[in-house]
Structure formats: C-alpha cells, structure tokens
Amino acid sequence: MAKPTIAVFASGTGSNYQAIFEAIENKTLICDLALLVTDQPSAKVIKKAEGNNTPYAACNLNDYTSKNTFESAILEQLRIHKVDWIILAGYMRLIGPTLLQAYEGKIINIHPSLLPAFPGLDAIGQAFQAGVKVTGVTIHYVDEGMDTGKIIAQEAVKISENINEQQLQEKIQLIEHELYPKTIQQVITSLTD
Ligand code: GRF
C-alpha cells in the first residue's frame, strides 16, 4: 500500500518540521514528506527544507487578491504533490474555508499549552505570566477557530519554581519534537480513538 503523504506548514524556525523530517529518516514515522508550505518567504524553515531537499512552496498572502486565492494557490501545490494530510507546525495563520473544505478532518496542529487553556499567540508566555504550575503541549484537529478543534493528544509539563520562560520554552519544544511525529504516525494510520 502507498505511504500517506504529508505537507508541513510553518512560518518560522521550523524545529518541528525538522523533528518530523528526522523521524521519517529514522523510519519511526512512515510517510512521505512531499512539501513544506510557508507563508513567510524569509522564514528560517526554508533553509532547513533546502538542506533536507524537501520541496517547498513559499506563498505570500500580499501577492494575492484574497485569502481565498492565496489558499487556492496552496491547494494547487498540495494537489500537484498529492498531499493527503496537512501538518501545521508553527503556521501563524488561521486556515480558511478553501483549505478546510478540501482537507476536512485531515489537518492537524500542535500548540504549546494544555488547550483549552492559553489559545492563540505566545501560549508559553501566557502560561508563564499566569503563574500556573503545569502547562504542556496539545495536538488537535483543525477547525475554523483559533486552536479549538478536537484534541488528539496532550502532554503536561511542570513549571518548576526556578525555571525561566526561555527554559520553559526549551522544555516544551523537546516534548513537541517527540510527541508530534509519534502522534502524526497514529493519526495517519488511524490508530487514535
Ligand atoms: C511550536 O511551539 C508550536 O507548538 C507552535 O509554534 C511553535 C513552532 O516552533 N504552534 P518551530 O517553528 O517548529 O520551531
């Protein structure tokens, strides 16, 4: 049977993209990484994709007349590369109706908090400022809302007394890099409930 094909969407550094790439290389994640999509033509993740020979599409919303035409251009790329699943990894834009309809139930996201707590931007900073003792990582299906789709997996991270925000971010990212490839594998082979 053919392996499922994924596209990773990212806007920034791309450490999760890199973790996914490495899991595929190590064969702990069995799929084809057909495409990286970015909405930031100068994002650091592009250099990583070039280094790994992952094909990429850099689409700048400003070059399009609407979000619909922007997403239609992305959709065309996804179809060219025969993409089955969209994996959001630090993609800093809400997914609109064009992609949601074309990939219904086939888009997942990772968020650095225990949703529904601290949705949206700077979730780690929000948790740190709130003084909570536990935060974490959530992987969820994507719907039209901001970090609101059905939760697939979560892992808690303790915020110890003497940790600073930077250290908390590093701790969370280490967990993300383990949990995301593992969860993607479960989702694309339908092993979740
Ligand atoms: C991650 O913390 C992820 O949870 C959030 O954005 C960050 C992306 O980091 N959605 P990176 O670009 O993968 O390093």
Side-chain angles (χ1 to χ4, degrees):
M1 210 170 78
K3 282 188 270 185
T5 300
I6 66 168
V8 173
F9 282 36
S11 304
T13 313
S15 68
N16 280 283
Y17 152 76
Q18 184 64 30
I20 292 165
F21 174 82
E22 286 171 14
I24 295 169
E25 289 288 290
N26 300 334
K27 300 192 170 32
T28 51
L29 173 55
I30 314 292
C31 65
D32 284 325
L33 175 48
L35 187 67
L36 171 85
V37 174
T38 184
D39 62 331
Q40 299 296 330
S42 56
K44 286 187 183 155
V45 68
I46 293 178
K47 285 263 167 289
K48 292 189 170 76
E50 284 173 343
N52 295 335
N53 289 322
T54 304
Y56 70 89
C59 298
N60 187 342
L61 181 60
N62 296 334
D63 295 339
Y64 298 87
T65 49
S66 67
K67 180 136 176 196
N68 178 31
T69 53
F70 163 73
E71 287 201 339
S72 295
I74 294 176
L75 192 52
E76 197 184 327
Q77 289 297 315
L78 297 174
R79 290 195 165 136
I80 289 169
H81 291 273
K82 299 187 171 25
V83 169
D84 300 315
W85 290 87
I86 296 177
I87 310 297
L88 307 185
Y91 183 67
M92 304 302 285
R93 201 172 282 289
L94 275 182
I95 300 292
T98 306
L99 286 175
L100 277 175
Q101 275 158 28
Y103 279 86
E104 200 187 341
K106 295 276 179 109
I107 309 178
I108 67 174
N109 182 42
I110 187 162
H111 183 78
S113 78
L114 289 178
L115 291 171
F118 311 122
L121 287 178
D122 191 23
I124 299 173
Q126 290 185 57
F128 197 78
Q129 293 306 322
V132 294
K133 297 292 177 201
V134 178
T135 185
V137 174
T138 301
I139 296 163
H140 63 94
Y141 288 103
V142 171
D143 62 14
E144 62 288 348
M146 170 85 80
D147 303 321
T148 49
K150 183 177 175 236
I151 291 171
I152 304 165
Q154 289 187 306
E155 194 163 323
V157 174
K158 225 176 136 193
I159 307 183
S160 41
E161 211 47 66
N162 44 11
I163 202 172
N164 64 34
E165 198 176 321
Q166 172 69 26
Q167 290 166 323
L168 176 61
Q169 183 178 342
E170 286 163 11
K171 206 170 163 186
I172 285 180
Q173 286 217 313
L174 278 178
I175 288 173
E176 290 189 332
H177 300 162
E178 289 277 317
L179 188 64
Y180 212 10
K182 195 170 91 187
T183 306
I184 293 166
Q185 180 66 65
Q186 291 169 347
V187 169
I188 66 179
T189 52
S190 307
L191 291 178
T192 49
D193 353 288

